[in-house]
Amino acid sequence: MIKLADEEQTIAEPGIVNRKQLIAAIAFAAVAVLLSTAVPSIEIAWVTGILLLTIYLFAFEVVGVDVAAASIMVLLGLSSLFAPVMGLEQGLVDNKHLFDGFASNAVISIIAVMIIGAGLDKTGIMSKVAAFILNIGGTTEGRIIPIISATVGFISSFMQNVGAAALFLPVVSRISARSGIPMSRLLMPMGFTAILGGTMTMVGSSPLILLNDLILTSNKALPAEQQMETWGLFSVTPVGIALVVTGILYFVVAGRFVLPVSKSESSTSGSDPMQYFHDLYGVDFSLSEVVVTKDSNLIGKYLDDVETSYRVRIIASKLSSEAPQVGPGTLARDTEFAEGMVLGIVADPHDLEHFVEKYNLKKRKQLRTFSESLAATKAGIAEVLIPPGSSLIGKSARDVWMRKTYGLAMIALHRDGETLREGDDIRNMPLHAGDTLVVHTAWDALARIESNRDFVVITTEFPHEELRPHKVLPAAVFFTVALSMVLFTDIRLSVALLTGAMGMVLSGVLTIEEAYEAVSWKTVFLLASLIPLGLAVETTGTAKWIAEQVLSVVGHMPIWVIQASVALLATFFTLVMSNVGATVLLVPLAVNIAIGAGANPAVFALTVAIATSNSFLIPTHQVNALIMGPGGYRVPDFMKAGGIMTVLFLVVMILMMNLVF
């Protein structure tokens, strides 16, 4: 989703935007015409032109990236119809295989991991992981980013990186909601590190898994003295660790400059709910967590003794030996304060400061004890109306023990155009028909009250989340089954992951409708539509021609320059075709170049397999496509953050490979 500021700029200055696009289009067209005079065949000329068109559409966002990708796919398909006019004997891509991308291993795998991730999230597992990370890292980017990134990087070293990213997507979403940090500040570091983590072992990414087979194939054409040894499982680990550490440090140091602040697809539209209550009722409340110290004179008093006097509303409590007391059936006005008790309080910041100072309490900077139970996804402030005919009319909130009975902690009462607050003794006032209660409540309690005829719930935009903690066991079982099949069998990745996904549905962890909703179809169309372009680049000889031209220029230079050129070529190809396709194409070329230059061919082959993970510039990598929608990213966001990451990747990779090998 494009930020509002960007939308306003687009609306206010359409001429400037159109001029930029027009100038860029002319420049790209000129380059395409120039290249068409240098290429060896008409097929390569057309594919090069379409490749430049794709880069132009992505870079300048003429249309959405998914629309651009689908349009390129259609254009390749139409080449069969217009082949005689284009000077071709046949289309650039066989139309029988034009839509193979939608059934490809990569696309089916990404659909499956989205469903598996949603299933784990539905059981509440991911919510607990998010709470754990928040307890360790607090609510600051500088601490949360390394924790998330290091965890995902480690997981992706033995699991497909898109699977690791999809697994943590709901975790990051919850951390964002609870910490107030936009998802756009967290998802890109997580996604980039998931890609980097795939370089830590020889099973971390498809190119590295494939590499030893390609080496054995190349050995058949080599004399005995030039035979290459295959790589061990952890041969690449020093390089991978250096890359992961570089990625984490990059975002910790430069994140504030390169990461956008954008609204995600999944975030609710509209204004801040607290601003709404401030504007409508004049209430200015915040949620805080305080601890009763050992020398506090609050010890021994009851909630009822202090709430009205100090204009505070206590909505949660916890003793060290007990579970948090939140929601219906827990807190009551006769709850006694004790040493070490943690309190969740809703109050005006000034009233809270007075209360804390009066009773020598310790105020925490952010929620810790209640980071899970009072998170924005679990609880918040809502409006509830007392309708005519309600059995509560004539009774006060105190009479019905409203906080304990219904889980509604009343913080304001609006009657006859006037808003009364906690200090106005609102809990002793008999309720009238038409009274609007401003309450703090758990969302599940509010959902139950919707069917209670004594109330009319005015607030409808709240998370109606139905967690299924009783389904933790089947979810864990099918996740383990899928992961085990990926790690310990030779079965196709998509089949292994779909086994876990369908297990989630058949065991009732998810309904089939929820499974469909879990899939980001924008991501699916983006990836599936680009696969025919990669096929055209490979089958027409375009990729081989580009590689030969580049290497003919650097062939006489120092070995490290040639190696860097091979890595740069792999980086370019992995942006426009599958990383497996790029690896299959470039490894034989790299081996022959290394032998000609007197270098180690196995190291050059490994250079290709690692460099195909250097895919950060545009959202064509599966992980980047996965996080683009939820993070609200645009292509320029990837180019800004990914451009620097691409350079760092190449520098660190070449440096480490020359040190280690």
Side-chain angles (χ1 to χ4, degrees):
M1 185 182 295
I2 300 173
K3 292 181 290 185
L4 182 59
D6 295 325
E7 291 172 350
E8 290 172 349
Q9 185 179 20
T10 303
I11 294 169
E13 302 176 316
I16 293 176
V17 176
N18 290 336
R19 280 199 299 273
K20 287 180 180 177
Q21 292 176 350
L22 182 60
I23 292 170
I26 293 171
F28 272 83
V31 172
V33 171
L34 185 63
L35 284 175
S36 68
T37 62
V39 297
S41 70
I42 188 68
E43 289 85 3
I44 294 177
W46 279 110
V47 171
T48 304
I50 293 175
L51 197 57
L52 287 170
L53 174 61
T54 305
I55 296 171
Y56 165 71
L57 292 175
F58 274 19
F60 291 90
E61 295 187 297
V62 180
V63 292
V65 287
D66 50 335
V67 177
S71 300
I72 293 298
M73 178 180 66
V74 172
L75 194 60
L76 289 168
L78 290 175
S79 67
S80 297
L81 178 63
F82 296 106
V85 179
M86 298 167 66
L88 302 172
E89 294 183 6
Q90 58 185 8
L92 297 173
V93 175
D94 186 347
N95 279 358
K96 292 180 181 179
H97 300 289
L98 187 66
F99 303 110
D100 285 359
F102 289 93
S104 69
N105 185 57
V107 171
I108 297 299
S109 297
I110 203 170
I111 290 174
V113 296
M114 289 175 185
I115 295 173
I116 290 174
L120 293 172
D121 189 37
K122 202 69 175 177
T123 63
I125 291 176
M126 293 308 176
S127 185
K128 289 181 171 57
V129 173
F132 175 73
I133 291 175
L134 280 172
N135 285 337
I136 297 175
T139 56
T140 59
E141 285 183 37
R143 294 180 64 183
I144 289 178
I145 286 176
I147 295 171
I148 296 175
S149 299
T151 305
V152 174
F154 172 74
I155 292 174
S156 66
S157 68
F158 60 87
M159 178 182 181
Q160 288 289 315
N161 44 34
V162 68
L167 186 64
F168 263 72
L169 190 58
V171 175
V172 174
S173 177
R174 291 177 180 278
I175 289 174
S176 172
R178 294 171 197 183
S179 65
I181 302 172
M183 283 184 69
S184 60
R185 310 285 293 183
L186 301 175
L187 275 182
M188 193 175 285
M190 183 270 285
F192 281 16
T193 314
I195 297 173
L196 295 171
T199 65
M200 288 176 62
T201 68
M202 293 298 291
V203 296
S205 66
S206 298
L208 287 170
I209 293 172
L210 184 65
L211 180 61
N212 281 336
D213 288 339
L214 293 175
I215 285 176
L216 293 175
T217 301
S218 295
N219 279 344
K220 295 177 181 178
L222 297 176
E225 65 275 9
Q226 293 178 341
Q227 295 282 306
M228 294 176 285
E229 294 288 332
T230 55
W231 297 98
L233 179 62
F234 299 108
S235 297
V236 75
T237 301
V239 180
I241 291 175
L243 289 170
V244 170
V245 171
T246 300
I248 294 173
L249 289 176
Y250 167 53
F251 283 111
V252 170
V253 174
R256 71 188 70 176
F257 307 110
V258 299
L259 291 172
V261 180
S262 58
K263 184 178 286 186
S264 67
E265 279 185 355
S266 57
S267 64
T268 56
S269 59
S271 59
D272 177 11
M274 285 308 299
Q275 185 64 40
Y276 166 77
F277 286 107
H278 173 78
D279 294 342
L280 186 61
Y281 298 114
V283 296
D284 186 16
F285 289 126
S286 62
L287 177 60
S288 305
E289 191 170 287
V290 303
V291 181
V292 180
T293 59
K294 63 180 181 179
D295 55 351
S296 172
N297 52 3
L298 190 64
I299 297 171
K301 294 183 182 294
Y302 298 93
L303 266 64
D304 205 29
D305 296 333
V306 297
E307 286 188 305
T308 300
S309 303
Y310 292 93
R311 303 171 71 91
V312 297
R313 198 71 169 122
I314 297 168
I315 56 171
S317 71
K318 184 184 183 302
L319 288 169
S320 57
S321 58
E322 299 178 1
Q325 300 293 300
V326 182
T330 56
L331 275 178
R333 61 177 180 262
D334 58 357
T335 299
E336 184 178 359
F337 295 108
E339 179 186 339
M341 179 182 280
V342 184
L343 307 174
I345 300 177
V346 174
D348 181 285
H350 297 293
D351 293 331
L352 179 64
E353 289 301 325
H354 177 56
F355 180 61
V356 168
E357 184 179 347
K358 171 67 177 178
Y359 288 105
N360 193 25
L361 305 174
K362 179 184 177 183
K363 181 186 175 186
R364 289 175 172 169
K365 292 182 180 179
Q366 67 266 329
L367 297 185
R368 279 170 36 196
T369 302
F370 305 117
S371 61
E372 167 71 15
S373 52
L374 295 183
T377 53
K378 291 289 188 69
I381 296 180
E383 296 169 282
V384 178
L385 182 74
I386 303 297
S390 170
S391 65
L392 301 181
I393 293 175
K395 299 176 183 177
S396 68
R398 181 182 293 275
D399 292 336
V400 297
W401 294 67
M402 187 173 288
R403 175 171 43 191
K404 184 175 183 178
T405 305
Y406 301 104
L408 302 178
M410 188 164 62
I411 57 178
L413 185 151
H414 188 74
R415 175 184 295 173
D416 301 328
E418 182 183 4
T419 301
L420 306 171
R421 309 182 190 183
E422 178 64 34
D424 298 321
D425 203 23
I426 54 177
R427 284 177 290 139
N428 280 320
M429 294 181 179
L431 297 173
H432 295 177
D435 282 352
T436 299
L437 314 182
V438 180
V439 299
H440 188 283
T441 179
W443 299 132
D444 58 355
L446 191 63
R448 288 193 293 271
I449 287 171
E450 283 185 311
S451 59
N452 189 325
R453 293 185 178 182
D454 289 332
F455 301 95
V456 173
V457 177
I458 301 174
T459 301
T460 56
E461 295 299 321
F462 65 92
H464 293 66
E465 185 176 36
E466 181 198 348
L467 291 180
R468 300 181 184 123
H470 59 288
K471 293 292 184 179
V472 168
L473 182 59
V477 167
F478 283 108
F479 172 69
T480 304
V481 167
L483 186 59
S484 299
M485 292 172 72
V486 170
L487 295 177
F488 305 118
T489 73
D490 294 327
I491 197 167
R492 197 171 173 84
L493 178 66
S494 53
V495 177
L497 294 173
L498 269 180
T499 301
M502 293 313 300
M504 296 278 186
V505 174
L506 293 173
S507 63
V509 177
L510 289 174
T511 65
I512 189 63
E513 289 77 16
E514 289 167 339
Y516 289 138
E517 291 173 3
V519 178
S520 171
W521 297 105
K522 179 177 182 176
T523 300
V524 170
F525 271 82
L526 172 61
L527 292 176
S529 300
L530 283 176
I531 287 176
L533 177 61
L535 184 64
V537 170
E538 191 171 348
T539 57
T540 60
T542 304
K544 185 177 180 182
W545 175 78
I546 293 173
E548 289 172 346
Q549 299 309 303
V550 173
L551 296 173
S552 66
V553 174
V554 300
H556 61 283
M557 295 183 179
I559 290 177
W560 71 268
V561 176
I562 301 174
Q563 186 183 10
S565 301
V566 169
L568 197 60
L569 267 177
T571 298
F572 171 72
F573 284 141
T574 198
L575 294 176
V576 296
M577 61 192 295
S578 74
N579 50 13
V580 170
T583 305
V584 171
L585 179 75
L586 288 178
V587 163
L589 283 173
V591 167
N592 289 327
I593 290 163
I595 291 173
N600 186 335
V603 171
F604 269 55
L606 183 62
T607 299
V608 170
I610 295 177
T612 51
S613 291
N614 191 10
S615 185
F616 308 106
L617 269 174
I618 52 178
T620 52
H621 191 282
Q622 297 171 28
V623 173
N624 291 340
L626 175 72
I627 65 175
M628 187 174 187
Y633 297 122
R634 300 162 54 217
V635 174
D637 296 328
F638 282 99
M639 297 182 76
K640 181 180 180 181
I644 300 173
M645 188 69 246
T646 298
V647 174
L648 288 174
F649 187 105
L650 289 170
V651 171
V652 173
M653 182 192 74
I654 296 298
L655 182 63
M656 287 298 299
M657 292 196 72
N658 281 277
L659 287 175
V660 175
F661 306 116

